[in-house]
Amino acid sequence: MKQSSAWHTSRLCGALFTAVLTLGLPATGLAAKEQDMTQIHITMSGSPGAEFSAEWRITHDGETVEHPETRGTVPAEFTFEGDTLEGTVKLLSDDERLEVDIVKGTNRSRSSTQGKGGTLTVVVR
């Protein structure tokens, strides 16, 4: 039985479409990995309701932007895009505990402090 040329054309276009989608997936995966390497996620935990101040400096493509948090409370989360994060976090509450967890790609920084005035300085690249 002989197939029509339209069937062959349709089949060829379908195969090409599938190949483009299949080959396009790794590029999409790379873009997601690159974004993961610039996404910086910060989780503030410890004593619920503990107050803190934080100064985040995010450098991305050579430009540094400051993100002050004058009076935050636990729990809190922040997400930034950047190549480097530098931060200073100060616990403002008495008899409380503050834990700071920062994740960027496969890098993780965990720090904690206890008692009013406890200060953490963090750098993640």
Side-chain angles (χ1 to χ4, degrees):
M1 180 162 98
K2 186 174 180 182
Q3 299 289 334
S4 70
S5 62
W7 182 83
H8 285 290
T9 302
S10 171
R11 187 130 159 106
L12 178 62
C13 287
L16 287 174
F17 182 70
T18 302
V20 168
L21 284 179
T22 303
L23 293 175
L25 288 176
T28 303
L30 287 176
K33 284 183 183 178
E34 287 175 9
Q35 183 179 9
D36 287 347
M37 291 306 296
T38 61
Q39 186 176 66
I40 302 168
H41 187 76
I42 304 165
T43 304
M44 311 289 278
S45 59
S47 303
E51 294 185 331
F52 63 89
S53 65
E55 180 67 38
W56 307 114
R57 289 168 301 286
I58 310 297
T59 302
H60 189 60
D61 293 334
E63 183 178 326
T64 300
V65 177
E66 293 190 8
H67 299 274
E69 179 69 32
T70 55
R71 200 165 204 71
T73 57
V74 169
E77 293 188 25
F78 307 93
T79 300
F80 301 106
E81 287 292 319
D83 304 314
T84 304
L85 169 126
E86 296 177 44
T88 303
V89 182
K90 186 173 185 178
L91 183 57
L92 304 175
S93 302
D94 285 325
D95 301 323
E96 302 283 353
R97 181 170 176 78
L98 178 65
E99 298 170 7
V100 180
D101 186 47
I102 304 170
V103 177
K104 179 182 179 263
T106 58
N107 296 328
R108 170 173 244 137
S109 171
R110 290 183 178 175
S111 303
S112 64
T113 189
Q114 192 165 341
K116 186 174 185 173
T119 302
L120 303 170
T121 301
V122 295
V123 176
V124 176
R125 296 184 191 331

